[in-house]
Amino acid sequence: MPATRILLNELDQTQSLTQGEYKSEVKKLQLELLNMQLELHEKGIPVVVVIEGPDAAGKGGVIKRLTERLDPRLMRVYSVNKPTAEEFARHYLWRFWCKLPQRGHLAIYDRSWYGRVLVERVEGFCSKAAWNRAYEEINAFEKMLIDDNAVFLKMWIHISKDEQLGRFKRREADPYKHWKIGDEDWRNRKRWSEHIIAAEEMFEKTSTEIAPWHVIPGNYKWYARIKALQLLNAVVAKALGRKSKLG
């Protein structure tokens, strides 16, 4: 397994698009993805997409652009929060087995099983032995899915600490976005450095040849959304035996 060393605080956040470029590209990419979705269904190929990143990184906006033109009958989006009492009483991967897509369907996870080596590690919700053991467990879990013919994509949408602060303040000032910000977000921000260390170790230990991590600069939302669409289209096209026309 190749080690992938990614330094998040040194990520180039200058990539951007004009509004015209964004509108043109998003329309073409979404149409291509829709057409491929129908072919995936006909061939019975499941798709698993994992999206992680800091609070306010734009994960929801990315997911909206990935899914808004797709057939909703063939896809599910899961927003992963803290486990229920029933889930907590079992192995941490149990609740994700129950949410895997059936053949020919797409599942997108807004946060995922990686919580074990991210927030659970940082907040002390599991022991050091447990989160250290989880790297191999996760790699084995993902390999099983891929060996079973699933298309697999892992994306980390990243923003700078300054950009996160600006987005937090804008959410607090906007009555339509108050629901997007809470005490937990501010608490997580205080431990920014610890979360960065956890993420960078996660990349190093779980970015494999068959399931690599793709880190997307997210300070410019239009760029992040187009990049995510390009990545998804590329892996789906490859699974269908062709090259993405637009990636």
Side-chain angles (χ1 to χ4, degrees):
M1 182 185 73
T4 300
R5 187 63 176 162
I6 298 169
L7 300 177
L8 291 174
N9 288 335
E10 297 179 11
L11 194 65
D12 180 6
Q13 290 281 6
T14 62
Q15 299 96 323
S16 63
L17 295 171
T18 66
Q19 186 175 30
E21 289 171 334
Y22 170 73
K23 288 185 174 180
S24 173
E25 284 299 302
V26 75
K27 185 175 181 180
K28 291 185 289 186
L29 287 162
Q30 288 176 335
L31 178 58
E32 182 188 43
L33 185 57
L34 172 61
N35 291 332
M36 291 193 293
Q37 182 195 28
L38 302 177
E39 189 174 346
L40 288 167
H41 184 245
E42 291 171 0
K43 295 183 176 180
I45 301 173
V47 180
V48 175
V49 179
V50 170
I51 301 181
E52 295 277 359
D55 296 326
K59 297 182 292 296
V62 165
I63 291 170
K64 179 179 179 181
R65 274 68 189 185
L66 294 179
T67 62
E68 65 183 344
R69 300 298 182 184
L70 298 183
D71 184 341
R73 298 170 298 178
L74 305 179
M75 51 160 283
R76 289 289 301 273
V77 175
Y78 296 102
S79 179
V80 177
N81 298 305
K82 65 180 181 180
T84 63
E86 181 183 21
E87 291 166 342
F88 188 74
R90 292 170 168 82
H91 189 279
Y92 71 97
L93 287 175
W94 177 81
R95 62 173 171 153
F96 299 106
W97 274 108
C98 305
K99 295 178 175 66
L100 294 176
Q102 66 188 74
R103 303 193 191 284
H105 286 233
L106 164 71
I108 298 179
Y109 301 86
D110 181 355
R111 302 199 186 278
S112 66
W113 40 91
Y114 281 98
R116 172 58 50 124
V117 297
L118 293 171
V119 66
E120 291 183 35
R121 165 184 170 166
V122 174
E123 296 292 339
F125 294 152
C126 65
S127 68
K128 183 176 181 179
W131 60 257
N132 265 317
R133 186 176 66 244
Y135 297 118
E136 289 188 11
E137 293 171 342
I138 288 170
N139 288 339
F141 174 62
E142 293 175 354
K143 185 177 185 299
M144 281 190 289
L145 300 181
I146 293 167
D147 286 347
D148 196 44
N149 203 37
V151 175
F152 204 88
L153 176 63
K154 300 187 297 195
M155 295 185 281
W156 178 278
I157 315 297
H158 194 67
I159 54 174
S160 66
K161 191 176 183 181
D162 288 343
E163 177 65 18
Q164 184 190 63
L165 179 60
R167 293 184 185 186
F168 277 13
K169 288 182 176 179
R170 288 192 291 274
R171 287 178 176 185
E172 283 191 328
D174 187 343
Y176 292 103
K177 293 185 178 181
H178 277 172
W179 61 273
K180 286 188 171 186
I181 186 76
D183 292 341
E184 186 176 344
D185 298 301
W186 288 107
R187 186 174 70 251
N188 289 340
R189 179 174 166 78
K190 290 179 181 178
R191 306 186 76 168
W192 175 272
S193 295
E194 293 172 74
H195 285 285
I196 293 297
I197 290 170
E200 290 176 352
E201 186 170 355
M202 176 191 72
F203 299 140
E204 193 169 352
K205 294 189 175 181
T206 64
S207 192
T208 64
E209 289 184 6
I210 60 172
W213 275 101
H214 299 272
V215 177
I216 300 175
N219 277 15
Y220 293 92
K221 293 181 179 181
W222 291 340
Y223 174 84
R225 294 165 184 174
I226 293 300
K227 187 64 177 178
L229 272 164
Q230 289 174 339
L231 285 168
L232 180 55
N233 284 23
V235 297
V236 170
K238 182 179 180 181
L240 294 174
R242 63 173 183 259
K243 202 171 184 181
S244 172
K245 301 171 187 174
L246 305 161

